């Protein structure tokens, strides 16, 4: 006779669905979407770092050691001046509840 054994192995898969970053924001001081906000789920312990780059690869914003949840990050300013409208690239480093570190990247459009 064949013997069948069942093993249950917990698997944790880190997917970008644990984080939502809007694809656009409008820092025009109307009180709606004025800052780039990062949304995380309970699978994320913290946001270790956020860097935002312009189209030439210059860093326009960076912040480290942020909490998880709903985190407002970039206000669309670069060195105290309004950044130009356009597409910016972000890199986000997350620490998951498992202790694993995950790097996510994407782009966001700044609309003036």
């Amino acid at each position: 006779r064949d013997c069948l054994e069942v093993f249950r192995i917990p698997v944790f898969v880190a997917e970008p669905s644990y984080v939502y970053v809007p694809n656009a924001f409008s820092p025009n001081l109307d009180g709606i979407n004025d800052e780039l906000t990062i949304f995380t789920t309970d699978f994320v312990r913290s946001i270790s770092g956020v860097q935002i780059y312009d189209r030439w690869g210059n860093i326009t914003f960076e912040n480290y050691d942020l909490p998880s949840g709903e985190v407002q990050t970039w206000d669309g300013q670069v060195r105290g001046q309004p950044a130009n409208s356009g597409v910016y690239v972000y890199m986000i480093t997350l620490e998951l509840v498992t202790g694993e570190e995950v790097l996510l990247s994407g782009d966001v459009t700044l609309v003036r």
Side-chain angles (χ1 to χ4, degrees):
R1 293 191 167 190
D2 291 328
C3 182
L4 177 65
E5 292 186 41
V6 177
F7 292 94
R8 291 181 187 244
I9 301 171
V11 176
F12 182 82
V13 180
E15 296 181 10
S17 61
Y18 297 142
V19 177
Y20 171 70
V21 181
N23 61 1
F25 74 114
S26 60
N28 57 7
L29 303 177
D30 67 354
I32 302 169
N33 299 319
D34 285 332
E35 292 190 22
L36 178 62
T37 303
I38 300 170
F39 301 89
T40 63
T41 66
D42 293 339
F43 292 107
V44 176
R45 179 176 294 145
S46 66
I47 301 171
S48 305
V50 176
Q51 296 86 34
I52 298 177
Y53 300 87
D54 65 18
R55 64 182 172 180
W56 296 282
N58 300 313
I59 194 152
T60 60
F61 174 84
E62 60 186 329
N63 202 346
Y64 298 92
D65 299 322
L66 301 167
S68 61
E70 181 179 327
V71 180
Q72 293 181 336
T73 56
W74 188 36
D75 63 0
Q77 300 280 316
V78 178
R79 291 180 287 289
Q81 299 296 317
N84 292 326
S85 294
V87 177
Y88 292 81
V89 173
Y90 62 81
M91 305 271 296
I92 302 172
T93 307
L94 306 169
E95 182 184 351
L96 303 179
V97 295
T98 62
E100 181 182 1
E101 197 169 81
V102 176
L103 178 65
L104 301 174
S105 62
D107 60 75
V108 61
T109 301
L110 187 153
V111 180
R112 293 255 179 226

